[in-house]
Amino acid sequence: MKTISTFLFFVVSICGFSQSKISGIVIDEKNNPIQGANVFIEGSYDGATTNEKGEFLFTSSEKGTKILVVSFLGYETIKLPFEVEKGNLKTIKLKESINTLDTVVITAGTFDAGEKARVSVLKPLDIVTTAGSNGNIVAALQTLPGTQTVGEDGRLFVRGGEADETQTFVDGIRVAQPYGATTQNLPTRGRFSPFLFSGMSFSTGGYSAEYGEALSSVLLLNTKEEEAQEKTDISFMTVGLGLANTQKWGKNSISVNTAYLNLAPYQALVHQNVEWNKPFQSLSGETVFRHSFTNGMFKLYAAFDASQFDINQESINSPSKIRVDLNNNNFYLNSSYKGSCGNGWQLTTGLSYGYSHNKIGLDLDKVNNAEHSSHLKLKFRKSFSDRVKLSFGGDYFITKFNEDFNGNLGVNFSSGYQANIAAVYSEADIFFSKKLAAKLGVRASHNNYLHEDAVSPRISMAYKVSKSGQFSVAFGNFTQAPKQDYLKYADYLSSEKASHYILNYQYSKEKRTFRSEIYFKDYSDLVKYNTSLVQYNTVFNNNGKGYAKGLDVFWRDGKSFKNLEYWVSYSYIDTKRDYKNYTAEVTPSFVADHSLSVVGKYWIDQWKSQLSITNSFTTGRPYNNPNETVFMNGKTKTYNSLSMSWAYLISQQKILYFSVSNILGTQNVYGYEYANSPDSNGFYNRRAITPTADRFFFVGFFWTISDNKKDNQLNNL
């Protein structure tokens, strides 16, 4: 017995002598000890947990070089090679993980809304429930800071830029004709309904190097990745009819949305301030086909729009009204693929084609034009670590435009151009920590029509100052080819240029969001010309310049009051331009110094209703009065429009919807048209440019049919 005991003691002693002690301290980047960190040797059961001082101590019988794993929630796991026999590891420092919800996000110049948005200033598409927007995404965006309300136009004007300085993309592919056809002082609408989109990103400046050919901003629309179930939506409206359907089978789904609009019955009942021969009519449709692969998603998006109207427009320079008869046919096709392609790389590629054809009658003169546009996109992206992500790719844009003018007096001429733009870009996202991140990019392009190359660097950074607040800064150079009206007559122009400087602060917590942003834009190489109107013999140059600087403030609150969600937007802008045929550097006629929008949405349980109110206010806009010696010295009166909407749930899937724009009937004035020649007293007479109607009334019945009997169209109204 004594012999056995001696033998066991000898074995235990040998085992004990073969054990190595492993010790050390785990701290964070501020040298504070981390308690509860898990420390172990990879491939073994040997390990320990750190104490309140960050210390750990354990023994191991492992030999030689091994891997020590140190992990703690919210921090990056590290794997450290070490010699087991040496044991003492001293100090191990952990970095905070950036793959957490409270990691900094760059927000300078960008409003995000969508199912995948890390910081959503707007919920997915809820902006289109805004009273007065009437399902028009563009009109709803005009309640955000940085935009201008230009009621006689209807397009997006951003931070002192004209409407054509904003580019629209669907699933990353450009849409060359995002607006419906129109004529002077007749507002248009965006072509896209909210039915097929799951989110958007609206950059008012300083946007990514991935996008180009936009001096002021980009609007990114993302179609839905997948549909939850099959359903049918039916719409009966005072202005037309709508039908939508979604089908799913296997790894495929298809959504179709069609609409027929005819304003003739409506305008027969509601007085108009203009004389229509044939009110606006359109037949439109959209569809998205999706197919899920093992490693990716393919989408095919198509949209068409056929519209027409015939109107007699008043002019101070014509004894009789000018008849404008317009027929427009538009088609847009977009195919895209996004998926992994091996070794951690993600591929995004796509191709689009857009076609727009206008037949325009101007009294007895005829104008016929057509635009063909294509965009090819290729993008690669890879995360080399949690802290470094790289993307690079290229674009190829093709635009072909032709126009024929046939004058009643025998003046005929043709114009047009074809421009190909090739561009490449590279961009890196770098996370230095959870609190500090940067995006560094550069874009290079070549325009064969203008025979020029451009290189545009862009950088943005963000720093998190608290759990809910952060600062962002952005700088970028941007170029854009001159507008179509100029290029069809001149191939000797250069691209227009702008530099953006942005400082942003954003606070977001518990359904409350506050944003404040100051910016400066420096314009150069803007197009100037020497005639009152652009025509075939106009002489152009790139001697124009300008600037825009201002403050944008946004506040959204969905918590303070039960069932109430509201946001307030305020913008101040100081901008001047010397371009077009301007005789001095002045504020353009589409800019108001101060803009204020208040939007509220209130759910009333007892009435099963959603009430929405929007009030838009702007100070007066400049105009040129030839009776005065100072150019663009006039100012219109202030603009104000109060709109209301009411959505009543007859049942869970049936909604009765009513809205009225400018409910108070405010007599707004957009500007003035002056006579080309003075009267006998030497005075230039004028005509006020006003809305086509004092108010707009809308009534609709929306019925959704689905298996779960719960879906409805409330979020699309």
Side-chain angles (χ1 to χ4, degrees):
M1 186 69 180
K2 182 178 179 180
T3 303
I4 296 175
S5 299
T6 302
F7 176 74
L8 291 175
F9 176 78
F10 177 73
V11 171
V12 171
S13 298
I14 294 176
C15 293
F17 287 131
S18 64
Q19 296 267 338
S20 299
K21 290 184 179 180
I22 315 298
S23 63
I25 300 175
V26 180
I27 60 174
D28 62 17
E29 292 175 288
K30 296 182 179 179
N31 297 322
N32 297 317
I34 297 177
Q35 181 181 2
N38 192 21
V39 184
F40 63 94
I41 297 176
E42 190 174 53
S44 77
Y45 294 100
D46 301 333
T49 301
T50 57
N51 60 21
E52 67 277 3
K53 296 181 180 180
E55 300 170 341
F56 65 89
L57 172 63
F58 64 93
T59 59
S60 175
S61 59
E62 299 288 335
K63 301 292 184 181
T65 301
K66 297 295 179 183
I67 301 297
L68 187 75
V69 181
V70 184
S71 64
F72 186 66
L73 184 64
Y75 290 80
E76 293 182 1
T77 298
I78 67 170
K79 295 184 178 182
L80 181 67
F82 78 109
E83 293 289 336
V84 176
E85 288 80 5
K86 293 183 179 179
N88 186 3
L89 295 168
K90 296 184 179 179
T91 302
I92 301 172
K93 183 175 290 188
L94 293 185
K95 296 181 179 179
E96 284 188 297
S97 171
I98 56 88
N99 285 331
T100 56
L101 292 177
D102 60 344
T103 300
V104 67
V105 178
I106 295 174
T107 56
T110 300
F111 291 88
D112 282 327
E115 298 164 354
K116 297 182 179 180
R118 283 282 306 280
V119 179
S120 276
V121 171
L122 303 169
K123 294 185 296 185
L125 287 182
D126 75 342
I127 190 171
V128 295
T129 64
T130 302
S133 67
N134 298 310
N136 182 10
I137 294 176
V138 174
L141 287 173
Q142 292 171 352
T143 67
L144 293 180
T147 64
Q148 291 282 327
T149 300
V150 187
E152 73 275 27
D153 186 285
R155 297 177 296 170
L156 271 176
F157 291 75
V158 180
R159 289 184 173 174
E162 292 199 342
D164 59 359
E165 294 179 18
T166 296
Q167 295 285 357
T168 301
F169 294 80
V170 171
D171 293 331
I173 314 298
R174 188 179 66 138
V175 183
Q177 306 105 9
Y179 301 101
T182 187
T183 188
Q184 187 177 20
N185 298 328
L186 193 66
T188 185
R189 289 171 56 95
R191 292 189 185 275
F192 306 105
S193 74
F195 177 75
L196 300 176
F197 298 96
S198 63
M200 69 176 183
S201 178
F202 176 44
S203 293
T204 52
Y207 55 86
S208 165
E210 180 179 349
Y211 304 100
E213 288 300 306
L215 279 187
S216 290
S217 66
V218 295
L219 173 60
L220 311 177
L221 300 174
N222 302 311
T223 57
K224 295 178 181 179
E225 293 293 327
E226 59 182 357
E227 292 286 355
Q229 64 172 328
E230 296 183 351
K231 62 179 180 179
T232 299
D233 293 312
I234 303 172
S235 307
F236 299 94
M237 303 166 287
T238 49
V239 295
L241 305 171
L243 177 65
N245 181 260
T246 296
Q247 295 292 322
K248 297 179 65 176
W249 67 99
K251 296 182 179 181
N252 308 295
S253 67
I254 187 169
S255 301
V256 180
N257 179 40
T258 59
Y260 171 69
L261 301 180
N262 187 341
L263 297 185
Y266 171 84
Q267 292 180 357
L269 298 174
V270 180
H271 173 72
Q272 301 291 298
N273 297 330
V274 294
E275 182 181 318
W276 293 94
N277 299 312
K278 180 185 292 184
F280 179 85
Q281 299 179 38
S282 74
L283 177 65
S284 62
E286 299 171 284
T287 182
V288 178
F289 169 78
R290 312 169 191 85
H291 177 78
S292 296
F293 294 94
T294 303
N295 297 316
M297 169 74 73
F298 170 78
K299 296 181 186 178
L300 182 67
Y301 174 87
F304 76 92
D305 181 7
S307 59
Q308 60 178 327
F309 63 82
D310 191 338
I311 188 173
N312 295 326
Q313 288 194 302
E314 185 179 353
S315 173
I316 193 72
N317 293 300
S318 176
S320 59
K321 293 182 179 181
I322 300 172
R323 182 176 181 179
V324 179
D325 179 11
L326 186 147
N327 284 266
N328 171 260
N329 290 302
N330 184 273
F331 176 73
Y332 178 71
L333 181 67
N334 173 324
S335 63
S336 63
Y337 173 81
K338 183 177 181 179
S340 59
C341 56
N343 295 323
W345 286 97
Q346 186 180 72
L347 169 67
T348 302
T349 186
L351 175 67
S352 72
Y353 169 72
Y355 171 73
S356 181
H357 183 207
N358 290 301
K359 291 182 178 180
I360 308 169
L362 299 173
D363 281 340
L364 298 178
D365 297 333
K366 302 296 180 182
V367 178
N368 194 325
N369 62 44
E371 181 184 38
H372 301 262
S373 62
S374 300
H375 177 203
L376 173 63
K377 180 187 183 73
L378 183 64
K379 172 186 173 182
F380 293 94
R381 181 177 175 85
K382 183 175 181 177
S383 297
F384 290 93
S385 70
D386 290 342
R387 294 176 177 267
V388 179
K389 299 176 175 62
L390 175 68
S391 61
F392 65 89
D395 298 290
Y396 195 76
F397 302 96
I398 303 173
T399 302
K400 183 178 180 181
F401 179 80
N402 294 296
E403 183 171 84
D404 296 318
F405 177 85
N406 298 310
N408 178 53
L409 300 178
V411 178
N412 302 316
F413 62 87
S414 298
S415 58
Y417 67 96
Q418 178 170 334
N420 301 333
I421 300 175
V424 293
Y425 80 94
S426 180
E427 195 164 62
D429 293 289
I430 304 172
F431 292 86
F432 300 99
S433 68
K434 288 172 59 177
K435 294 185 176 180
L436 180 62
K439 183 188 290 287
L440 309 174
V442 63
R443 183 179 181 89
S445 62
H446 172 75
N447 187 317
N448 76 327
Y449 183 67
L450 302 180
H451 309 290
E452 69 171 8
D453 300 304
V455 178
S456 304
R458 296 170 195 178
I459 179 173
S460 53
M461 300 185 70
Y463 180 72
K464 202 171 184 69
V465 294
S466 66
K467 187 176 182 179
S468 304
Q470 66 172 52
F471 283 96
S472 295
V473 295
F475 162 78
N477 288 336
F478 304 86
T479 64
Q480 183 176 358
K483 64 173 63 178
Q484 190 179 86
D485 291 343
Y486 307 157
L487 291 182
K488 66 184 181 182
Y489 297 129
D491 62 354
Y492 52 84
L493 291 170
S494 299
S495 289
E496 298 178 311
K497 300 177 178 63
S499 296
H500 296 199
Y501 305 83
I502 301 171
L503 173 62
N504 164 281
Y505 174 75
Q506 178 164 306
Y507 177 89
S508 184
K509 183 179 180 181
E510 297 178 346
K511 296 184 178 181
R512 294 189 182 105
T513 299
F514 172 78
R515 281 174 60 102
S516 180
E517 194 162 280
I518 57 175
Y519 63 90
F520 177 76
K521 293 167 65 176
D522 183 26
Y523 287 97
S524 61
D525 295 342
L526 299 182
V527 173
K528 289 182 65 68
Y529 50 85
N530 65 340
T531 51
S532 58
L533 297 174
V534 174
Q535 53 196 33
Y536 69 94
N537 60 350
T538 298
V539 178
F540 300 90
N541 62 61
N542 280 101
N543 297 332
K545 61 180 181 177
Y547 72 87
K549 57 185 178 180
L551 167 69
D552 291 338
V553 179
F554 178 86
W555 166 253
R556 182 182 182 121
D557 183 5
K559 183 181 180 182
S560 298
F561 306 96
K562 184 180 179 181
N563 295 335
L564 174 66
E565 194 156 26
Y566 69 95
W567 67 78
V568 180
S569 300
Y570 167 76
S571 294
Y572 165 74
I573 183 171
D574 171 18
T575 181
K576 291 184 179 180
R577 285 188 173 199
D578 179 13
Y579 77 139
K580 294 185 174 180
N581 56 358
Y582 281 20
T583 59
E585 189 174 17
V586 296
T587 302
S589 60
F590 56 83
V591 174
D593 295 341
H594 302 272
S595 301
L596 176 68
S597 293
V598 180
V599 179
K601 301 174 185 180
Y602 183 67
W603 175 257
I604 307 173
D605 285 323
Q606 298 89 334
W607 295 355
K608 297 185 294 183
S609 300
Q610 177 179 275
L611 179 66
S612 180
I613 299 177
T614 299
N615 193 83
S616 297
F617 168 86
T618 69
T619 52
R621 288 160 44 189
Y623 64 89
N624 184 48
N625 183 351
N627 296 303
E628 298 182 1
T629 58
V630 179
F631 180 63
M632 293 289 283
N633 196 42
K635 267 267 176 89
T636 65
K637 66 178 183 177
T638 60
Y639 169 92
N640 194 78
S641 178
L642 176 66
S643 301
M644 298 182 65
S645 68
W646 179 29
Y648 171 65
L649 269 69
I650 300 173
S651 66
Q652 183 62 35
Q653 296 193 296
K654 297 176 182 177
I655 300 173
L656 182 63
Y657 182 79
F658 172 80
S659 73
V660 56
S661 301
N662 191 28
I663 193 171
L664 300 179
T666 306
Q667 300 298 298
N668 292 307
V669 175
Y670 299 137
Y672 295 94
E673 179 194 19
Y674 278 85
N676 293 330
S677 303
D679 60 16
S680 58
N681 297 318
F683 186 80
Y684 291 86
N685 293 313
R686 73 181 187 182
R687 179 184 70 88
I689 300 172
T690 59
T692 56
D694 295 336
R695 301 175 182 87
F696 180 75
F697 299 92
F698 178 88
V699 180
F701 172 73
F702 302 90
W703 182 16
T704 298
I705 304 171
S706 64
D707 291 337
N708 68 3
K709 302 187 185 303
K710 294 182 180 180
D711 290 343
N712 58 48
Q713 299 182 59
L714 187 61
N715 286 335
N716 292 328
L717 299 181

